[in-house]
Amino acid sequence: MRLFNIFALLPLLPLLMASPLCAQVTFGSSGEEGEPFRRQQWRVPSPDTDIAAHALLFRPVGAGPFRLAVIAHASTQNVLRRAQMPQPEYRALVAFLVAHGFAVLVPERLGHGATGGRYVEDQGGCDEADYARSGRATAAEISLALDFLRKQDFVRQDKVVVLGHSAGGWGALALANTDPNAISAIIAFAPGRGGRANDEPNRICAPQTLLAAAAEFGKAARIPVTWLVATNDSYFAPAFSRQLADAFRGGGGKVDFRTLPAVGSEGHWMIESEAGVKAASRELGLALNQSKPAAAKKP
């Protein structure tokens, strides 16, 4: 190589040796619509600005605008199980909501499955469990996804319903402090953290800490909560779930607590099944009807 060419390349060396820049994070649809219910892959904001959270979007037929329902999935403290978690779909619950006219978003949170990234919802061990912090972290992730979808032209900006399952339900309780003009109802399926500690049925990690956090969420709550738990839930049994709901109510939150029939061998996962959604259909229908916009009065 000629000396001139060597000197010409010198200014470029820092650029050639530098690490490649991260690809720009883009949000929105990332695939074609399919079945069922116009199923479509989306990317939505996450607390990590370098990571777009994976999500699934389902819609009724037509252009909308549709009311929005966001489903917040369950979680686990087990790192390997989180990494291997398939993208949540809640197919039977989605079918129920789409039939009631909702566009349904099921976002995957940081630290789970294909989204990856740092797990921001970590509750800590029993001795130092911080359930209030983990719930607020989950709520913040739900809010980011919700706020992004609400800006789409096929979605109504008001009367959103948030449905949370287990840790996702716990985050939904923390989200009950939101403006009720934006979110009209919260439906929580066996909400909580630290259930089935050490994989032992009906053993809860630091239950008094969990109860105190529920009361804390209730103090700031502005949105009514429908709280559902199956009789055969071994993570948060009905008796303890009622204590949690009472703590939330005692803090000032509005709660409609309901115990549902046993479904399958473990009621904690009932809402992921068709039989579970069928068992909860009456309560779901009541919660959705209560959150419907009021009909305009005739002049």
Side-chain angles (χ1 to χ4, degrees):
M1 182 181 289
R2 295 180 181 178
L3 189 59
F4 174 79
N5 290 340
I6 293 175
F7 283 116
L9 286 172
L10 286 176
L12 298 177
L13 284 177
L15 296 176
L16 294 172
M17 297 174 64
S19 300
L21 294 174
C22 294
Q24 184 177 1
V25 178
T26 57
F27 306 119
S29 61
S30 59
E32 298 297 321
E33 293 182 10
E35 296 297 333
F37 313 116
R38 303 172 64 183
R39 182 184 187 276
Q40 190 175 33
Q41 293 279 349
W42 274 60
R43 300 291 182 268
V44 296
S46 80
D48 187 332
T49 56
D50 291 328
I51 297 178
H54 290 230
L56 289 175
L57 177 69
F58 303 85
R59 281 179 272 182
V61 175
F66 309 109
R67 292 180 65 196
L68 176 64
V70 178
I71 301 176
H73 62 76
S75 185
T76 173
Q77 286 289 101
N78 187 291
V79 177
L80 184 58
R81 290 179 186 173
R82 282 202 310 271
Q84 296 175 337
M85 183 182 291
Q87 188 151 8
E89 292 204 33
Y90 292 90
R91 292 186 180 185
L93 182 56
V94 165
F96 185 93
L97 293 166
V98 170
H100 282 73
F102 284 85
V104 185
L105 182 75
V106 190
E108 187 177 69
R109 301 192 299 278
L110 278 180
H112 299 83
T115 296
R118 184 173 66 90
Y119 186 53
V120 298
E121 306 169 53
D122 189 4
Q123 67 201 34
C126 284
D127 292 338
E128 70 281 356
D130 192 341
Y131 294 125
R133 190 210 63 80
S134 64
R136 286 192 291 267
T138 305
E141 293 203 63
I142 299 170
S143 290
L144 284 171
L146 186 158
D147 290 343
F148 179 76
L149 256 292
R150 195 158 43 194
K151 296 173 184 175
Q152 308 306 310
D153 57 9
F154 59 86
V155 170
R156 286 183 51 153
Q157 295 189 19
D158 62 343
K159 301 298 180 182
V160 174
V161 174
V162 173
L163 303 98
H165 175 207
S166 192
W170 185 248
L173 296 181
L175 196 62
N177 63 357
T178 306
D179 182 357
N181 291 318
I183 298 175
S184 58
I186 288 172
I187 304 172
F189 302 97
R193 301 280 314 205
R196 206 178 168 100
N198 297 324
D199 216 19
E200 295 182 25
N202 301 308
R203 181 180 177 184
I204 297 170
C205 177
Q208 294 304 317
T209 306
L210 194 64
L211 288 164
E216 182 179 333
F217 292 159
K219 289 178 182 178
R222 305 170 63 193
I223 299 168
V225 173
T226 298
W227 193 308
L228 306 176
V229 62
T231 56
N232 62 330
D233 190 314
S234 72
Y235 286 72
F236 305 104
F240 183 76
S241 289
R242 184 177 290 279
Q243 291 181 48
L244 276 179
D246 287 344
F248 184 84
R249 186 185 293 111
K254 183 178 179 181
V255 181
D256 181 14
F257 179 86
R258 303 280 177 169
T259 301
L260 301 175
V263 175
S265 59
E266 175 52 70
H268 193 67
W269 310 112
M270 66 170 293
I271 204 57
E272 295 183 351
S273 70
E274 188 172 346
V277 173
K278 184 177 180 180
S281 60
R282 180 180 177 276
E283 286 74 15
L284 284 169
L286 288 171
L288 297 179
N289 286 333
Q290 288 174 357
S291 64
K292 278 185 176 180
K297 294 182 180 180
K298 295 182 178 180

